[in-house]
């Protein structure tokens, strides 16, 4: 990231005055628990040391005036013309937050916004959740609203669901708000309780980016959600009052599997077993059994590839290459899938070497170059600078 001082100067040059608040929010990588959040299930993400900054200053009028350093583009939108659904520009994320704030009758002023970040866009590291959370955090502070962390998380999720039009679950916004340095965050996506789980110092998190961007992701993501709902609807006949795949054990599913269409059964099997894997992974961490944690990550990838069908050849190759490296305990795709990144848990002394080897092996196989990052588990959103009393 650029130094804060430079960000501040750019704000001054762009808008002719100082920012009143600069907030930061991190991207995330999910260690295990993929495609479980919208099934009321369990997830174990980590906030990473790549983040989005949003600097804001209130205006007298009703305009959102945004400049994105990453996209080198300016955008303007009136608070009086915010409408729902089907968006894709970077300004739609702060605009979506504004839309939520206004719909809660919070008196949001027009605002100048400067946005900067080093979370790669579209790579499955939740740059969009980070932008939502940084915007909401900046406005909360600017306007001195007494919003709880839970409310900020819900505002950001609803902004993405309703304004941007992406039917995501709650994991990304949650961990971007509530992540903790040196910890992963176990989240129960039903009651939204969470627990910070310490990560062993001897392990590193290596993220490998395939360079593939997720064109298929939105339509296939929505289809997977529908398939899971269909599974619940059909299983209700046999299991009574279940609300989500969260309510089904792997044994129950095995028993009634052949009553479901084949594809639906595989989608359900992934989710039901993935939930069980998250709980096992927590136990493995608590017992200091990193080997087991890694094996559960490998199983998760296999299940996402075979049963949930959200992987792609580049992700599979990246996981396979990682498996050949000394010190790599587990590797899997992370995020929605169809491209983006893998996450690897590596013994720290081997991390840099594994990163170089995976990258160069991958570049020999594919025309798109890979990128690799050894990530530190970081704190959730915070204020970097403010002159609001
Ligand atoms: C995306 C969504 C999350 C979650 C993951 C898959 O990142 O934003 O809510 O569903 O995919 O685990």
């Amino acid at each position: 990231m650029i130094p804060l001082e430079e960000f501040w100067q750019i704000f001054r040059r762009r808008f002719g005055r100082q920012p009143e608040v600069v907030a930061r929010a991190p991207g995330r990588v999910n260690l295990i628990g993929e495609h479980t959040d919208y099934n009321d299930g369990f997830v174990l993400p980590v906030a990473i040391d790549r983040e989005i900054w949003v600097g804001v200053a209130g205006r007298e009028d009703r305009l959102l005036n945004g400049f994105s350093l990453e996209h080198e583009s300016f955008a303007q939108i009136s608070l009086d013309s915010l409408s729902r659904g089907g968006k894709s520009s970077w300004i739609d994320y702060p605009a979506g937050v504004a839309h939520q704030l206004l719909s809660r009758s919070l008196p949001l002023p027009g605002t100048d916004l400067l946005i900067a970040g080093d979370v790669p866009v579209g790579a499955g590291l939740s740059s969009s959740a980070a932008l939502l959370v940084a915007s909401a955090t900046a406005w909360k502070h600017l306007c001195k609203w007494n919003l709880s962390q839970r409310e900020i998380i819900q505002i950001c999720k609803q902004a993405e669901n309703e304004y941007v039009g992406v039917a995501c679950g709650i994991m990304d916004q949650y961990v971007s708000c509530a992540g903790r340095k040196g910890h992963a965050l176990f989240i129960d996506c039903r009651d939204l309780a969470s627990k910070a789980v310490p990560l062993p110092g001897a392990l590193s998190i290596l993220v490998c980016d395939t360079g593939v961007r997720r064109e298929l992701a939105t339509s296939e993501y929505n289809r997977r959600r529908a398939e899971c709902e269909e599974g619940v609807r059909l299983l209700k006949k046999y299991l009574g009052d279940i609300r989500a795949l969260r309510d089904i054990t792997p044994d129950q599913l095995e028993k009634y599997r052949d009553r479901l269409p084949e594809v639906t059964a595989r989608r359900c099997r992934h989710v039901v077993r993935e939930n069980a894997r998250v709980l096992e992974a927590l136990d493995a961490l608590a017992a200091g059994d990193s080997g087991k944690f890694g094996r559960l990550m490998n199983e998760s990838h296999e299940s996402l590839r075979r049963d949930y069908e959200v992987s792609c050849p580049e992700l599979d190759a990246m996981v396979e290459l990682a498996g050949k490296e000394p010190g790599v305990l587990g590797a899997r795709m992370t995020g929605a899938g169809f491209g983006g990144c893998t996450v690897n848990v590596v013994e720290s002394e081997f991390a840099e070497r594994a990163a170089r080897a995976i990258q160069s092996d991958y570049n020999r196989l594919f025309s798109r170059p890979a990128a690799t990052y050894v990530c530190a588990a970081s704190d959730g959103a915070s204020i970097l600078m403010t002159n609001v009393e």
Side-chain angles (χ1 to χ4, degrees):
M1 279 298 283
I2 55 173
L4 184 55
E5 171 65 24
E6 193 180 330
F7 181 88
W8 193 85
Q9 292 295 352
I10 296 172
F11 193 105
R12 271 188 59 142
R13 277 203 302 279
R14 284 271 153 205
F15 300 111
R17 62 214 180 104
Q18 299 176 12
E20 291 176 79
V21 180
V22 181
R24 58 163 280 281
R28 66 97 187 91
V29 67
N30 189 16
L31 295 181
I32 195 160
E34 214 65 85
H35 288 277
T36 46
D37 62 350
Y38 53 83
N39 289 299
D40 276 4
F42 307 120
V43 292
L44 191 65
V46 169
I48 58 176
D49 52 347
R50 295 194 152 240
E51 52 194 35
I52 303 283
W53 291 0
V54 174
V56 293
R59 296 173 56 89
E60 296 294 317
D61 60 17
R62 303 277 297 157
L63 292 177
L64 295 186
N65 252 345
F67 190 84
S68 161
L69 286 176
E70 211 169 351
H71 295 91
E72 289 184 33
S73 80
F74 181 77
Q76 189 177 72
I77 189 163
S78 164
L79 289 176
D80 297 323
S81 63
L82 303 176
S83 65
R84 292 165 174 241
K87 313 274 187 351
S88 57
S89 159
W90 56 268
I91 192 68
D92 297 321
Y93 293 89
V97 172
H99 182 247
Q100 283 299 319
L101 295 168
L102 293 171
S103 70
R104 285 167 169 75
S105 303
L106 290 163
L108 184 72
T111 307
D112 291 330
L113 300 111
L114 180 67
I115 297 163
D118 62 359
V119 189
V121 174
L125 298 177
S126 292
S127 60
S128 52
L131 176 52
L132 292 164
V133 171
S135 306
T137 305
W139 270 320
K140 172 188 159 164
H141 200 83
L142 178 73
C143 303
K144 301 187 195 162
W145 290 322
N146 189 12
L147 292 168
S148 68
Q149 188 178 67
R150 188 67 67 84
E151 284 169 306
I152 295 280
I153 294 168
Q154 292 288 9
I155 285 168
C156 293
K157 175 177 183 282
Q158 281 172 347
E160 188 145 1
N161 292 162
E162 292 168 21
Y163 190 85
V164 182
V166 176
C168 63
I170 203 160
M171 164 171 72
D172 307 343
Q173 296 81 8
Y174 199 127
V175 69
S176 184
C177 276
R180 196 156 130 210
K181 194 173 177 183
H183 292 68
L185 196 68
F186 169 70
I187 309 168
D188 179 335
C189 300
R190 171 164 281 168
D191 65 9
L192 300 186
S194 65
K195 191 174 100 189
V197 183
L199 290 168
L203 297 183
S204 293
I205 297 168
L206 169 63
V207 171
C208 300
D209 187 349
T210 60
V212 177
R213 295 301 178 247
R214 313 168 294 166
E215 286 92 23
L216 256 179
T218 308
S219 56
E220 289 297 322
Y221 186 91
N222 291 345
R223 183 171 310 160
R224 294 300 177 283
R225 284 193 76 139
E227 287 164 342
C228 292
E229 281 160 24
E230 173 71 355
V232 173
R233 197 180 62 77
L234 295 171
L235 287 164
K236 269 188 181 155
K237 282 191 219 147
Y238 313 104
L239 293 168
D241 197 19
I242 50 169
R243 279 199 281 148
L245 289 178
R246 150 71 174 276
D247 299 313
I248 301 168
T249 65
D251 287 347
Q252 283 173 321
L253 183 65
E254 269 319 295
K255 194 162 161 203
Y256 298 108
R257 206 161 95 74
D258 55 1
R259 318 272 170 101
L260 301 177
E262 193 265 338
V263 172
T264 314
R266 281 192 288 122
R267 304 299 190 242
C268 294
R269 181 165 66 181
H270 165 71
V271 174
V272 166
R273 290 189 176 173
E274 184 77 350
N275 273 330
R277 274 190 288 271
V278 177
L279 299 180
E280 276 186 67
L282 271 188
D283 289 346
L285 270 186
D289 191 347
S290 314
K292 177 156 186 209
F293 189 89
R295 285 194 297 281
L296 290 162
M297 290 177 72
N298 296 339
E299 282 173 26
S300 167
H301 183 79
E302 196 46 26
S303 170
L304 288 157
R305 184 182 74 76
R306 211 188 43 216
D307 280 350
Y308 218 63
E309 295 181 283
V310 290
S311 189
C312 66
E314 291 85 349
L315 285 167
D316 294 340
M318 201 71 116
V319 165
E320 210 178 307
L321 293 172
K324 295 188 182 134
E325 286 306 309
V328 175
L329 302 177
R332 57 182 287 279
M333 55 152 275
T334 186
F338 302 104
C341 294
T342 63
V343 57
N344 306 265
V345 168
V346 191
E347 289 169 22
S348 294
E349 55 189 306
F350 292 100
E352 290 296 343
R353 182 182 138 176
R356 278 196 303 277
I358 295 168
Q359 188 163 358
S360 74
D361 289 350
Y362 181 90
N363 291 351
R364 240 175 271 132
L365 293 175
F366 296 99
S367 53
R368 264 188 220 91
T372 54
Y373 320 100
V374 177
C375 292
S378 304
D379 281 327
S382 60
I383 300 296
L384 286 170
M385 179 240 108
T386 177
N387 50 29
V388 176
E389 298 285 293

